[in-house]
């Protein structure tokens, strides 16, 4: 993740000889934020090195292609999730996984009109669910957690109802092309994901609305007092999140040439995990899509490595959870002054001790059958 | 002096606003002229900030009309006020710590090309605005990393950035040095001369005298006096308008007995890094000690350390001559120390729970048997305390959030009293409470002392401190600078101790009515 300040600083040569050269505090801040922001990059590198050591099949173009292709679906919804979480006030979108399924089914119903019909159907359906979420949260002033929890169930229901519970075959040559072809050497789904990441990054770092989004999530009052339409902006973000879920549905459908109401189950939680691992604060105002991308990759590669190492697939759930805990533990800071950090660290130590005890019990007493 | 027959930029008439049971504004009016600086004065809670918020579109009045440049308007958001050329610099430092100085100053107002921020020009504008205020900092640094003075100046620069026709400043110099403040005044003079209307809120008379042509005085939500075009009147007249009552009448706390000689609480060498330094004091049985000082002097922190809510780096506490160790609120409770915290809604009460549940919350163990709560024993005990603090029986089963601020405060005090504390600490016990209930709470504090409690009251309300304290402990920058006898103490005694430099324009920094000691 690249911090806003470094970006701004390169864009802003300091004018005037009398300009205070970087105040020491300012510099320290910038460095601290850079460290925190790119904190997970070394972790990603470490994961890749470990992968290489574990299996010679890991660091191959073919393996990367496969992993990244599958990951692009979760990746897309993680970008939307990042935007919503950044906007603060408890923003979260639990519905995206179900919306991917519902969008895919809706798109499939329009597949008769060809590729355009399928894509448009998916995107419109995704944006529609986003709009419902956004209206509930901003105009209705309901809790984002509750609203999106409800639409999560609703969207899943819509997917099952419209598909009758069986996967709908989407037989479009254009679609299978998306799933199988490459742009230069990058598979199209991966290219789509990367494009969205770049667009979102540019949006957050360089556009007026992007900068204002950090203000909305950081100190809503300051944004409101500056005349920024806080509610409307949040509404748009939910629509964007839904739209990205629709786009994710297009990619997911392209892999199997069928739209399944069971698809993308639990993806919303993977997306939230990726956002958190990527260093975005759940309280809003701090974070980036680059961080989220790193988070997505860490989780994806870890799963891949465990597969290659023939680790029980069920273990992957456990390890994913541990990654999230480890990532948020790294962010731990002291609170309440004297001895606060120490207290916090002992507390974390206690948690890990409990986890280790649990692991020992699991491995040695309960042993899998 | 100044011509008054030009058309006003803005006028408010018959404006009222009620928050729950507190009438913040009652039929107030104000008229603001271009090229005039209008001083808005009044005690804490007189309605100044409510009036500003109405003008700035942050609060909708219950009644009244507003005219801007001859047209009737109704504002429902700050955005609409900004469109009409009304810019407010609020008292609190409201900014985004992670965004740069430039981004904070021009928030909502970035220079952009095709919706991309032009960082270079945005920074240039910010630098220029700060330059006008005499500030030279790296505008690309996150504002959160800079000093409070720079943060405050950035807030002012944000106000200037809006190119407003009316600029409202609420206590803008609280964190500024004299030099920085003087710079600001020069800028404000220029703006005024160029035809901008200004509203200036401050407790500092010297500043008002320096800047204002028009004056409006608010008291208990009503406009009680105004002087147009003649500057700020002399202290006597101004204070009479602001206070409108004498100290003795206001506090008739009838104490039955004088404090005994038995020392109940002794605090020695209380220090907390960066906040408190070697604070020591003692309180006798039946004594009321008031702790006062300017904002940021460390008043609240003393109480929080005493109950272990914050950790002191060093502190020795003795209760009735016995040294006790306090590292968390549970140990404080054990030692017989109870705190009535500053924020009753967030720290004192659970909003959705009833009065009975709230009052009994810290003491539930007392009426339980094998994990079961025996309500038939709890209710009479709670009822007794509730009557003692002046709550009516009809309120016992009401969720506290439905009660008035005064009754909520009584409930918080009741919660502390139920534990039969030997020492009770009250932080701003009457903030935001209407006058009638204030009296009841003073009487209650007096009764607690009479029953033998050692009482410590932290307050920024001068009249309150002078009216109820047996002794007054004055803090400045985390240190004890004096302890004076409550009997016969005056505001100027306290001010002289709390002010870092009395001769400067910043002298009148505490209560609105504190000016006598400064001129």
């Amino acid at each position: 993740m690249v911090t806003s300040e470094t970006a701004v600083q390169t864009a802003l040569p300091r004018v005037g000889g009398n300009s205070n050269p970087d105040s020491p505090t300012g510099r320290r801040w910038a460095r601290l934020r850079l460290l925190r922001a790119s904190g997970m990059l070394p972790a990603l590198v470490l994961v890749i090195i470990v992968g290489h050591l574990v299996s010679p099949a890991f660091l191959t173009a073919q393996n990367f292609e496969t992993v990244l292709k599958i990951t692009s679906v979760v990746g897309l919804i993680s970008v939307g999730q990042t935007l919503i979480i950044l906007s603060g006030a408890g923003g979260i979108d639990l519905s995206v996984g179900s919306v991917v399924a519902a969008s895919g089914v809706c798109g499939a119903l329009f597949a008769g009109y060809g590729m355009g019909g399928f894509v448009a159907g998916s995107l419109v359906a995704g944006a529609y669910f986003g709009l419902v979420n956004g209206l509930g949260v901003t105009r209705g002033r309901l809790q984002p957690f509750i609203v999106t929890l409800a639409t999560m169930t609703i969207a899943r229901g819509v997917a099952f109802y419209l598909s009758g519970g069986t996967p709908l075959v989407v037989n479009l040559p254009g679609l299978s092309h998306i799933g199988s072809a490459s742009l230069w050497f990058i598979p199209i789904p991966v290219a789509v994901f990367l494009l969205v990441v770049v667009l979102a990054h540019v949006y957050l770092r360089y556009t007026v609305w992007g900068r204002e989004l950090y203000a909305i999530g950081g100190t809503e009052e300051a944004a409101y007092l500056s005349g920024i339409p806080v509610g409307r902006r949040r509404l748009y973000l939910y629509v964007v999140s839904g739209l990205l879920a629709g786009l994710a549905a297009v990619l997911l459908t392209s892999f199997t040439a069928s739209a399944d109401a069971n698809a993308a189950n639990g993806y919303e939680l993977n997306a939230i995990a990726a956002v958190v691992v990527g260093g975005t604060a759940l309280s809003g105002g701090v974070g980036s899509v680059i961080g989220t991308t790193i988070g997505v990759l860490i989780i994806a590669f870890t799963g891949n490595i465990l597969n290659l190492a023939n680790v029980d697939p069920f273990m992957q759930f456990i390890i994913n959870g541990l990654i999230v805990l480890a990532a948020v533990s790294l962010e731990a800071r002291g609170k309440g002054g004297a001895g606060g950090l120490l207290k916090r660290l002992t507390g974390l130590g206690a948690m890990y001790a409990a986890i280790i005890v649990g692991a020992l019990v699991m491995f040695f007493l309960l042993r899998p059958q | 002096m100044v011509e008054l027959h030009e058309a006003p930029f803005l006028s408010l008439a018959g404006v009222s606003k009620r928050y729950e049971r507190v009438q913040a504004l009652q039929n107030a009016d104000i008229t603001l002229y271009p090229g005039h600086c209008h001083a808005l004065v009044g005690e804490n809670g007189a309605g100044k900030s409510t009036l500003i918020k109405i003008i700035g579109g942050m609060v909708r009045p219950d009644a009244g009309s507003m005219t801007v440049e001859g047209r009737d308007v109704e504002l429902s958001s700050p955005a609409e006020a900004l469109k009409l050329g009304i810019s407010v610099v609020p008292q609190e430092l409201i900014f985004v710590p992670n965004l740069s100085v430039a981004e904070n100053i021009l928030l909502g107002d970035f220079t952009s090309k095709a919706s991309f921020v032009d960082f270079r020009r945005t920074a240039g504008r910010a630098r220029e605005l700060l330059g006008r205020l005499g500030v030279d900092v790296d505008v690309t640094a996150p504002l959160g990393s800079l000093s409070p003075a720079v943060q405050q100046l950035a807030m002012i620069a944000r106000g200037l950035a809006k190119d407003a026709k009316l600029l409202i400043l609420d206590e803008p110099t609280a964190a500024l040095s004299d030099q920085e403040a003087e710079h600001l005044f020069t800028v404000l003079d220029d703006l005024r001369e160029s035809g901008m209307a200004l509203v200036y809120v401050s407790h500092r008379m010297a500043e008002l005298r320096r800047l204002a042509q028009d004056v409006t005085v608010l008291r208990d939500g009503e406009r009680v006096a105004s002087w147009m075009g003649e500057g700020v009147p002399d202290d006597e007249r101004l204070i009479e308008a602001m206070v409108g009552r004498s100290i003795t009448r206001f506090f008739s706390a009838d104490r039955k007995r004088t404090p005994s000689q038995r020392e109940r609480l002794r605090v020695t060498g209380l220090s907390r890094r960066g906040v408190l330094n070697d604070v020591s004091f003692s309180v006798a049985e039946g004594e009321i000690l008031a702790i006062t000082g300017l904002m940021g002097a460390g008043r609240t922190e003393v109480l929080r350390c005493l109950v272990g809510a914050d950790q002191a780096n060093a502190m020795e506490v003795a209760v009735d001559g016995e040294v006790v160790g306090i590292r968390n609120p549970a140990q404080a409770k054990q030692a017989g120390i109870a705190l009535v915290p500053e924020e009753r809604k967030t720290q004192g009460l659970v909003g959705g729970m009833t009065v009975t549940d709230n009052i009994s919350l810290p003491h539930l163990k007392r009426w339980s048997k094998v994990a079961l709560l025996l309500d038939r024993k709890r209710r009479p005990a709670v009822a007794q305390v509730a009557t003692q603090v002046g709550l009516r029986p009809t309120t016992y089963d009401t969720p506290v959030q439905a009660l008035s601020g005064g009754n909520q405060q009584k409930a918080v005090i009741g919660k502390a009293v139920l534990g039969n504390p030997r020492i009770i600490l009250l932080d701003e016990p009457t903030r935001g409470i209407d006058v009638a209930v204030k009296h009841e709470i003073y009487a209650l504090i007096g009764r607690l002392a009479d029953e033998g409690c050692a009482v410590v009251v932290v307050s920024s309300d001068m009249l309150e401190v002078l009216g109820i304290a047996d002794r007054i402990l004055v803090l400045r920058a985390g240190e004890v600078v004096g302890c004076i006898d409550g009997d016969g103490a005056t505001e100027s005694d306290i001010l002289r101790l709390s002010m870092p430099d009395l001769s400067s324009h910043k002298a009148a920094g505490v209560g609105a009515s504190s000016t006598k000691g400064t001129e």
Side-chain angles (χ1 to χ4, degrees), chain B residues 419-434:
Chain B
N420 289 320
R422 288 185 280 181
I423 296 148
I424 185 160
L425 317 172
L426 301 107
D427 198 352
E428 300 285 357
T430 64
R431 180 183 283 168
I433 287 172
D434 55 86

Side-chain angles (χ1 to χ4, degrees), chain A residues 12 18 22 206 211 219 286, chain B residues 95 98 103 117 119 136 138:
Chain A
L12 290 174
N18 63 345
D22 256 355
Y206 302 107
R211 301 314 297 163
T219 311
V286 179
Chain B
F95 61 90
N98 289 317
E103 286 176 314
V117 180
F119 286 107
D136 186 15
D138 173 17

Side-chain angles (χ1 to χ4, degrees), chain A residues 74-311:
Chain A
V74 172
L76 281 179
I77 61 176
S78 302
V79 171
Q81 196 73 257
T82 308
L83 296 177
I84 285 176
I85 289 177
L86 270 179
S87 78
I92 201 155
D93 190 347
L94 295 175
S95 70
V96 278
S98 301
V99 172
V100 169
S103 304
V105 170
C106 287
L109 297 178
F110 290 93
Y113 297 96
M115 192 58 194
F118 172 73
V119 173
S122 298
L123 295 183
V124 169
Y128 164 77
F129 283 106
L131 180 71
V132 172
N133 284 331
L135 287 174
V137 169
T138 62
R139 301 291 151 82
R141 299 195 185 175
L142 302 171
Q143 295 274 353
F145 188 95
I146 302 297
V147 174
T148 58
L149 183 68
T151 47
M152 172 173 105
T153 312
I154 293 170
R156 189 64 68 182
V158 168
F160 275 114
Y161 177 73
L162 288 180
S163 69
T166 48
L168 301 180
V169 176
V170 185
N171 203 355
L172 292 165
L175 192 61
S176 45
H177 182 71
I178 289 181
S180 57
S182 287
L183 208 73
W184 192 23
F185 64 92
I186 306 170
I188 289 179
V190 180
V192 169
F193 170 48
L194 289 180
L195 181 69
V196 167
V197 167
V198 169
L199 285 178
H201 178 71
V202 169
Y203 170 81
L204 284 176
R205 294 302 171 203
Y206 302 107
T207 69
V208 175
W209 281 26
R211 301 314 297 163
E212 289 178 352
L213 174 58
Y214 280 95
I216 291 170
T219 311
E220 182 175 345
E221 181 81 357
Y224 175 67
L225 291 177
S226 301
I228 297 169
V230 174
R232 208 182 318 151
R233 296 286 169 82
R234 286 211 179 100
L235 174 61
Y236 296 151
L237 294 177
Y238 280 95
V239 175
V240 167
S241 177
L243 203 59
L244 288 174
L247 190 58
V250 172
L251 299 187
L252 190 60
T253 314
S254 77
F255 297 150
T256 56
S258 72
D260 184 355
N262 275 311
N265 211 342
Y267 278 27
E268 63 281 343
L269 299 180
N270 295 342
I272 294 166
V275 171
V276 170
V277 170
T280 296
L282 277 182
S283 50
V286 179
S288 74
V289 280
I290 303 292
T292 296
T293 309
I294 293 174
V296 167
L297 294 179
I298 288 176
I299 293 174
F301 283 142
T302 317
N304 176 235
I305 292 166
L306 296 172
N307 276 338
L308 292 174
N310 278 326
V311 173

